[in-house]
Amino acid sequence: MYDTRGARSSARARASAAVLGAAALLLAGCSSSDGDRAAGATITQQPRSADPFWVNPDSTAARRLAAYEKAGKKTEAAQIRKIAEQPTGEWIGPENPEREARGFTEAAEKSDRTALLVLYDIPHRDCGQYSQGGAADGNAYRAWIDGVARGIGDRPATVVLEPDAVLHLADGCTPDQFHEERYDLLKGAVAKLKSLKNTKVYLDAGNVGWGHPDQIVQPLRQAGIDRADGFAVNVSNFYSTEDSIAYGKQLSAKVGGKHFVVDTSRNGNGPYTGGDPAEKWCNPPGRALGATPTTKTTDPLVDAYLWVKRPGESDGTCKGGPKAGQWWASYALALARNSK
């Protein structure tokens, strides 16, 4: 098996945690243009010129920050603030896609920012790993995408579409009998989302460690990359920004010069090289926060550095971690302490 599961882990993590995101919808009517005091901690939006993405003032990290401040734990609070004040992906849950998408995009619009959404509900998801599941069937998935689209409406949104879904078609992890339907679902999702006025869509395209760009070119084409704004690399993984850009540029040259985004949420120290290679994607020790989200990147093909994976949430029950998507305080603090 290729090293693909860094994406799944956060994706699986996100899938588990996405349901919790519904609570964040309560803040939709409470967002200000510059900052909020949610859960007791003041959270400020980043400068729009460099980072136009919305910071959720009621995120798990923001709540943990508030708890540390209330307890007088200034050192811990200072570390977690590094996470809480950056925009991270909002992973839409399976139950209320329209309500969640509307809540996040409305809150972002009120702050004059763009919502960053991650969609991860494809049927037969994650090859039976930590985030297995997804929509019950193709019709359920189409209805879910329709709900997300209604929730977004004309408001600005950047969408990372289905971490690992294309990759698992390319690496053989997804059984052959599901391939045709998955391509149809992905192509339909791209078309539906791109019919919206202010939505950008990036199909997930794997990472440096899983294989060669040639292996995913045709799957991306069949999944609708021609209509998408581009693709995403390193989702929930740890490969360096430099290596991820090199991978992305190789792939871009093969899919019509499409632009791409890089997940830099936890790649500050690069990939983990010790322990079991099969699980180097799952809660590896010694990692660090990477470059903060921005549209001011080092390459014209790179539209943004994003924190698609939410730092501090577990990749799964490995290395002593809680279930995928649950907050792991010690790991979050380590990521922040190790950051440059």
Side-chain angles (χ1 to χ4, degrees):
M1 178 66 68
Y2 292 114
D3 176 26
T4 62
R5 287 168 293 179
R8 311 171 205 162
S9 63
S10 83
R12 47 188 95 130
R14 264 6 30 50
S16 301
V19 178
L20 301 177
L25 299 172
L26 298 176
L27 62 86
C30 308
S31 183
S32 70
S33 59
D34 295 312
D36 269 289
R37 192 168 185 83
T42 301
I43 301 298
T44 303
Q45 300 295 326
Q46 296 296 324
R48 197 183 194 290
S49 59
D51 184 3
F53 303 104
W54 175 64
V55 179
N56 185 344
D58 200 37
S59 67
T60 301
R63 289 179 176 274
R64 298 292 177 165
L65 166 61
Y68 283 131
E69 289 183 339
K70 184 176 181 179
K73 296 182 177 181
K74 296 182 179 180
T75 300
E76 290 87 347
Q79 296 300 332
I80 296 304
R81 184 172 287 280
K82 297 177 183 178
I83 298 173
E85 290 200 332
Q86 297 300 329
T88 58
E90 300 294 349
W91 296 62
I92 302 298
E95 300 300 327
N96 298 292
E98 182 175 352
R99 188 179 71 180
E100 289 191 26
R102 178 176 292 112
F104 291 133
T105 55
E106 284 182 349
E109 186 177 54
K110 287 177 182 178
S111 293
D112 192 29
R113 299 298 191 277
T114 297
L116 174 61
L117 307 179
V118 188
L119 305 189
Y120 183 65
D121 198 39
I122 202 78
H124 317 293
R125 188 180 62 199
D126 201 31
C127 300
Q129 298 294 320
Y130 290 117
S131 286
Q132 61 182 292
D137 54 33
N139 287 334
Y141 184 76
R142 293 182 186 96
W144 184 78
I145 288 292
D146 287 345
V148 172
R150 288 193 301 271
I152 294 173
D154 289 342
R155 290 176 291 277
T158 292
V159 173
V160 175
L161 183 61
E162 294 298 340
D164 280 349
V166 176
L167 183 58
H168 286 164
L169 293 168
D171 70 7
C173 184
T174 299
D176 291 347
Q177 65 264 35
F178 302 134
H179 284 206
E180 183 177 355
E181 178 187 60
R182 179 168 293 189
Y183 283 126
D184 181 68
L185 294 177
L186 290 171
K187 186 177 292 185
V190 172
K192 170 63 72 169
L193 295 166
K194 284 307 298 173
S195 72
L196 303 176
K197 184 178 179 180
N198 292 304
T199 297
K200 291 186 176 182
V201 180
Y202 296 89
L203 267 169
D204 183 66
N207 58 69
V208 177
W210 83 273
H212 192 276
D214 285 344
Q215 295 169 270
I216 203 170
V217 170
Q218 189 57 35
L220 279 173
R221 289 173 178 159
Q222 289 180 252
I225 189 64
D226 60 325
R227 191 162 181 179
D229 293 274
F231 56 90
V233 300
N234 202 49
V235 170
S236 306
N237 224 300
F238 303 87
Y239 293 97
S240 72
T241 302
E242 181 182 7
D243 288 347
S244 295
I245 290 175
Y247 170 80
K249 291 176 76 171
Q250 291 178 54
L251 185 52
S252 173
K254 299 173 185 293
V255 291
K258 285 288 185 177
H259 287 208
F260 59 97
V261 295
V262 180
D263 185 353
T264 60
S265 56
R266 304 183 298 174
N267 72 348
N269 282 342
Y272 181 58
T273 57
D276 181 0
E279 285 207 341
K280 61 184 178 182
W281 53 268
C282 191
N283 298 326
R287 301 310 92 199
L289 301 174
T292 54
T294 184
T295 53
K296 304 292 186 182
T297 68
T298 60
D299 192 286
L301 282 174
V302 184
D303 286 347
Y305 300 147
L306 303 175
W307 284 10
V308 183
K309 161 77 176 183
R310 297 205 291 234
E313 293 181 357
S314 176
D315 290 324
T317 53
C318 57
K319 302 181 180 65
K323 290 182 179 180
Q326 292 187 4
W327 181 264
W328 189 5
S330 61
Y331 200 80
L333 287 166
L335 287 171
R337 291 189 187 106
N338 293 339
S339 62
K340 300 176 175 63

